[in-house]
Amino acid sequence: MVYNPTKAPLQRLRTAVAEHERRRGWRPTRWYETAGDDAGRAAARRAADGDPEVVIVAGGDGTVRAVADVLRETGMPIALVPSGTGNLLARFLGTPLNDVSASVSAAFTGVDRAVDVGVAEIEDEEGVRRTHVFMVMAGIGLDAQMAHDTSAIAKKHLGWLAYVTPIARSIIANRLFHLVYRVDGGRTRSTRAHTVIVGNCGTLTGNMLLIPAAVIDDGLLDVVLMRPAGPFGWAKIGTRFTLQSAARRSRITRRWLSRSPDLHSLAYVQGRRFDARFDTPHAVELDGDPFGHIVRARISVRPGALRIRGAAT
């Protein structure tokens, strides 16, 4: 068990794990607490040293990302106990969000699924390069600025309401930035955008479908560029996201969307690698956590690099 002590319901976890250990004759689970300075990488390395059957991860998307960084390509499966604000990966996979017992049961009795892992190679204006993984989304612009400007305390107590003010402020300002990008080493393109999101999954909190084509095990990344001309452009984007979300439940809405024209203010591209460079430094976030300001990024996918254990269907 790798757990974030500030988020995980520790007592309920220990009770549920002990029950399944007794019921199935497993040896005692080893417990590793995450540290704030590495989000869980050190704990994941210690957990992996014992060659476990499964590593249960109790925390938010940041904790899952840190553990995935260590365990990708090892073949060791992870199981999720969602304990954060967004829990976007768990939502996408259909993991119970408020049921510790069901999540722990899936870790002991579930089946494994190979999923893709995103890799972001980023460079700041000083030329310093870093490499990080992500499971859900990498964002530059509004998405990243929200991660930078919204405090952990606000997110803990307000949840996604904590993002309302930074979203409104950014939309009103509507500052577009210039970027040059290419997909899979193809033709270089130049554009202006307010926000760039590279997704491995496509659904946000509130069941908002941001990237309809995103599938976590298709070996591809899906990129959305938001480039509204003004408030009317933002209104079109908001309407399109709402309809995309509704289309999953309505055949009529799906049919209407399939016949509607593409929005100039909302561009989608897909591929295995996305390269971009920016005239000025911009904030970047990975799975909801800020990673500073960058001038260049290469974001790629590692197909099937991580095994996730979920409930058998």
Side-chain angles (χ1 to χ4, degrees), residues 85 146-147 150 155 159-168 288:
T85 302
M146 286 194 302
T150 308
K155 287 191 287 185
W160 281 85
L161 289 175
Y163 295 111
V164 170
T165 298
I167 289 174

Side-chain angles (χ1 to χ4, degrees), residues 60-244:
D61 288 315
T63 305
V64 174
R65 184 193 67 250
V67 175
D69 195 7
V70 174
L71 297 186
R72 62 188 176 107
E73 313 288 359
T74 67
M76 292 182 186
I78 70 172
L80 307 180
V81 179
S83 308
T85 302
N87 301 309
L88 297 182
L89 180 62
R91 292 172 190 272
F92 187 86
L93 295 173
T95 304
L97 296 183
N98 299 299
D99 193 334
V100 170
S101 179
S103 297
V104 171
S105 178
F108 281 82
T109 65
V111 295
D112 296 347
R113 174 185 181 183
V115 301
D116 303 338
V117 174
V119 177
E121 302 168 71
I122 55 180
E123 180 181 333
D124 65 20
E125 60 183 331
E126 303 297 329
V128 177
R129 298 179 181 179
R130 295 170 288 150
T131 300
H132 303 279
V133 308
F134 64 94
M135 295 303 303
V136 182
M137 296 178 187
I140 302 162
L142 167 62
D143 191 51
Q145 203 59 51
M146 286 194 302
H148 280 259
D149 293 347
T150 308
S151 71
I153 294 175
K155 287 191 287 185
K156 178 179 179 180
H157 291 286
L158 298 177
W160 281 85
L161 289 175
Y163 295 111
V164 170
T165 298
I167 289 174
R169 187 185 303 122
S170 183
I171 288 176
I172 291 171
N174 199 39
R175 296 190 182 94
L176 276 64
F177 57 86
H178 178 257
L179 72 148
V180 175
Y181 74 92
R182 62 178 182 171
V183 178
D184 291 342
R187 183 164 68 89
T188 298
R189 300 175 182 271
S190 176
T191 189
R192 292 177 59 80
H194 180 279
T195 302
V196 178
I197 296 178
V198 183
N200 196 26
C201 305
T203 304
L204 299 176
T205 299
N207 209 32
M208 177 70 73
L209 184 57
L210 177 67
I211 310 174
V215 179
I216 199 169
D217 57 2
D218 63 353
L220 296 169
L221 293 171
D222 291 80
V223 184
V224 56
L225 296 97
M226 302 182 200
R227 44 190 189 187
F232 188 57
W234 277 113
K236 287 183 176 181
I237 289 175
T239 300
R240 177 58 59 92
F241 287 164
T242 301
L243 290 172
Q244 287 174 173

